[in-house]
Each structure stands twice: as structure tokens, then as C-alpha cells.
Amino acid sequence: MTSPNTPAALSGGNSSVLATAIATPALDFFADLRVDVGVPQVLGHGPRGLRRVVPINGGEARGVDWHARVLPGGSDFQLILSDTLSELDARYSLETDGGDLLYVQNHAVRSAPADVMAKLLRGEPADPAQVYFRCSPRFETSSPALKWVCERMFVGAGVRHPTQVVMRFFTLA
């Protein structure tokens, strides 16, 4: 029996038509980022969980044939939903070596066993292999040379260290 959501069912039984019409996205390397972070400001528990704001103090981004610095002044707005799950919303700016400015808004999910998450929240090192940290950054720029980043989707993975977040971003091709 065919599920109503299989390619064959969606294409009226002809899965080859659907297969040629929809390409499976590939991941193309975009950049490695190192974001320097400060001490979290804990805002307290609200109806959805614990709110924290983590200052972004600097860092760098390196892609193929380009480099940028992370400008100080951004923040990571965190919602700690449970002892194993956090939603992150980081907003910051990059300035390339050529002077182009990019606004970054990076939504992320970070989950780990309760004891590992507790270490992260205390600012202690934790084994990255025990933490699921995936993100979907979006970029905005007025730079004609970088306009294409406003027209693409990106995904990434990250690792949280006590004073840094290290991430790798990919373009969905």
C-alpha cells in the first residue's frame, strides 16, 4: 500500500516525474564562524521557560576566498525550554575585509542530556558529541557583491565552548 505522502502517491503513481522535478538539496560549504560570547544575563522564568541574553563580543568568519570579523554588539536570545532543550536566536553583524556588512539572524536548537545541558548553562566545557546543535542562519546585506546570500537558505551545526560558539554554515544548493 502506498502512503499518501510518498513520491509515487504525490505524482499520481509516476515517481519518476516527481524525481526529475524536485532535486535533493546538497550542502555547499559557506563559512566557519567563531563567535566570542560574554556572561549571560538571566532574565528569569516566564511562561515558556528560562530567558537568557548572551552578549556577542566579536569573533571571525572564514569562507572560501573571504574573511570577516564578527562585530561586537550582537546578542544571543535564549529560551531554555526544559532541562534538555534550548531554542536560540542569535543576531549579530559581520564586516568583510572588503568593508561589506552582513546582518545575521541565526535560529538554533540545542539539546543534550540534562547533566550535559546543566554544564553548558553554567558555562562549563561539555562533550560536543553529546550535544545536538543545529541552526538555520539568514543573511541580509546591501552589498551588490553579496546580494546572493539574501536569496539562499543556509543550515549549520555548532559547538558551544565556555567563551565561544564555533559553527560551520552550509548553503542549501
Side-chain angles (χ1 to χ4, degrees):
M1 179 172 174
T2 303
S3 165
N5 293 323
T6 63
L10 293 172
S11 64
N14 188 349
S15 63
S16 63
V17 170
L18 184 62
T20 57
I22 299 176
T24 301
L27 298 178
D28 290 338
F29 172 77
F30 177 65
D32 284 329
L33 282 82
R34 177 187 48 81
V35 178
D36 301 328
V37 296
V39 176
Q41 177 185 26
V42 179
L43 302 178
H45 286 274
R48 293 191 59 222
L50 177 66
R51 291 269 180 198
R52 299 177 359 143
V53 178
V54 180
I56 293 175
N57 299 326
E60 69 175 334
R62 290 195 175 276
V64 177
D65 298 326
W66 69 277
H67 175 262
R69 66 186 183 111
V70 176
L71 299 176
S75 293
D76 183 3
F77 302 92
Q78 300 184 347
L79 178 60
I80 314 307
L81 294 163
S82 71
D83 61 351
T84 62
L85 178 63
S86 299
E87 289 180 356
L88 314 176
D89 180 13
R91 298 169 187 227
Y92 52 95
S93 302
L94 302 176
E95 182 178 21
T96 68
D97 287 345
D100 293 314
L101 296 172
L102 293 112
Y103 170 74
V104 182
Q105 183 172 4
N106 190 18
H107 292 282
V109 171
R110 188 169 61 204
S111 65
D115 61 321
V116 176
M117 189 65 81
K119 286 182 180 181
L120 291 172
L121 294 177
R122 289 191 303 264
E124 299 171 6
D127 179 3
Q130 293 187 299
V131 181
Y132 178 88
F133 184 163
R134 300 294 183 268
C135 57
S136 57
R138 288 183 12 195
F139 299 91
E140 294 178 26
T141 185
S142 61
S143 165
L146 296 174
K147 177 184 172 192
W148 70 271
V149 301
C150 302
E151 301 168 346
R152 297 292 182 269
M153 291 188 74
F154 296 83
V155 294
V159 174
R160 175 68 154 96
H161 298 291
T163 61
Q164 293 181 335
V165 177
V166 178
M167 294 169 287
R168 178 163 285 167
F169 292 165
F170 299 89
T171 308
L172 284 175

